[in-house]
């Protein structure tokens, strides 16, 4: 047996003895989860605010007879809300 083969056999034997460690959360995982929770609330609040603003603008445009730009705003806010709330599911599908 050559020296290269012996080195490989020894390396494989050594690596075979190393156990599979259990996954652990990083030390700052709780802070990161809290930050994500705050960001989620901010996104939801921003979406609700956008829909309320667009609804008020829609009423104003209908009352004054102006051009109707607000339905696009409502649709954009609703699409943005769907994307924001499903972002976790989308990322899990892309990563897994």
């Amino acid at each position: 047996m050559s020296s290269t083969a012996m080195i490989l056999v020894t390396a494989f034997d050594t690596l075979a003895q190393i156990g599979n460690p259990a996954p652990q959360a990083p030390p700052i995982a709780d802070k990161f989860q809290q930050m994500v929770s705050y960001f989620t609330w901010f996104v939801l609040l921003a979406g609700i605010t956008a829909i309320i603003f667009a609804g008020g603008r829609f009423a104003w445009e209908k009352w004054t007879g102006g051009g109707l730009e607000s339905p696009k705003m409502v649709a954009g806010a609703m699409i943005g809300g769907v994307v924001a709330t499903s972002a976790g599911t989308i990322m899990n599908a892309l990563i897994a």
Side-chain angles (χ1 to χ4, degrees):
M1 187 181 263
S2 70
S3 63
T4 306
M6 288 189 70
I7 291 172
L8 287 174
V9 168
T10 306
F12 285 131
D13 286 342
T14 304
L15 290 174
Q17 295 174 7
I18 297 174
N20 190 9
Q24 292 181 341
I28 60 169
D30 56 338
K31 298 291 183 186
F32 183 69
Q33 287 178 340
Q34 185 178 15
M35 181 185 72
V36 169
S37 176
Y38 288 157
F39 184 69
T40 302
W41 275 106
F42 174 74
V43 168
L44 291 174
L45 183 64
I48 290 169
T49 305
I51 290 173
I52 291 171
F53 175 75
R57 187 167 173 187
F58 181 65
W60 179 257
E61 288 173 356
K62 286 291 268 185
W63 189 52
T64 60
L68 294 178
E69 293 293 321
S70 55
K72 296 175 192 172
M73 291 173 60
V74 172
M78 295 177 95
I79 291 170
V82 168
V83 170
T85 55
S86 63
T89 307
I90 292 170
M91 289 305 296
N92 283 336
L94 292 176
I95 291 173

